[in-house]
Structure formats: C-alpha cells, structure tokens
Amino acid sequence: MWYVLWLDDYRPVSPEWLAQLGANVADVVIAKNYDEFRAVINGFGCPWAISFDHDLADAHYAGDFSTEKTGMDCAKWLGEQVLDSILKLPDNFVFRVRSMNPDGAENIRRYMHNLVSHVRRAK
C-alpha cells in the first residue's frame, strides 16, 4: 500500500509537508505511539514516507523516558525489520523528523540517515 506514516502523539498532519511530497491527507495513516507505529507497518507494509516525532507521551515532556517508547524506539524497530529483511524500504523512501526535543530529533535523524544510506549502498 502506498501511504505516508505520521508519527505524533498530538500534532496534526502538516499539509505543507504533504504538498512537498505530492501527497494528500487521504494518503496518511497516523500512529500516536510505538505500538500503533508497529501495528500500522505490520498491517500495511513499509510506508514510502515517515514523519517522526520523538516524544510520544506526556512523561517524555518531563524528561521521563523509562516507561513509554519514543520515536527513536520506532526508528530502531523499523531498522531491525529492514536489516533482518522482514521489511523493505521503498526505493523512493523519505523521512523527516520534527520534535520539540532537539537531541531526540537529531538521534532519529542520524539513525534514519544511516539506515537509508546503508540500504541504498547495499543495492
């Protein structure tokens, strides 16, 4: 299924980003947490675009990352699935990261950049 995955616990989908992708709201599936992220991808396959948020629970805004999984956990799960050949990134796969947590956002950005670079080099 050709779709865009929007990972965020409270922000609405960005029409500007969708326009940049050439997509529309009908192309978007929303996940608000780690479990929903996994369920969407397990149900529909790998999206061609993902917009990541880092902090996915109120506890994260207070700096508590001990119980709730973050966008980084989602990125790592996706990476494991791809590296284990369970999922395949589409050839035109793109991602972006937007978060009020600059360190968390940079961690996801770096991880996903490395994953995509690795996959493209391996082809």
Side-chain angles (χ1 to χ4, degrees):
M1 177 180 166
W2 185 90
Y3 73 102
V4 173
L5 180 51
W6 182 267
L7 176 64
D8 201 303
D9 58 327
Y10 77 96
R11 280 184 209 89
V13 175
S14 166
E16 295 81 16
W17 187 59
L18 292 179
Q20 290 172 356
L21 294 173
N24 61 55
V25 174
D27 303 322
V28 178
V29 178
I30 297 171
K32 294 187 176 201
N33 58 48
Y34 176 82
D35 291 333
E36 288 180 10
F37 181 87
R38 288 183 54 180
V40 167
I41 293 175
N42 284 330
F44 296 121
C46 193
W48 73 272
I50 301 175
S51 182
F52 287 93
D53 181 22
H54 183 271
D55 301 337
L56 300 175
D58 290 341
H60 297 162
Y61 302 113
D64 177 6
F65 300 100
S66 62
T67 58
E68 297 293 329
K69 297 203 181 260
T70 66
M72 184 65 190
D73 294 303
C74 294
K76 286 180 178 178
W77 176 83
L78 177 64
E80 290 168 4
Q81 302 303 298
V82 170
L83 295 174
D84 289 344
S85 300
I86 296 166
L87 291 172
K88 181 180 181 235
L89 291 181
D91 291 337
N92 61 344
F93 178 80
V94 295
F95 71 92
R96 80 162 190 175
V97 183
R98 67 216 138 51
S99 178
M100 292 186 300
N101 180 332
D103 293 334
E106 184 55 30
N107 289 338
I108 296 171
R109 198 172 288 110
R110 193 174 317 117
Y111 181 86
M112 289 302 298
H113 174 74
N114 289 338
L115 175 66
V116 170
S117 294
H118 172 78
V119 168
R120 290 185 178 152
R121 278 193 313 272
K123 287 186 177 184

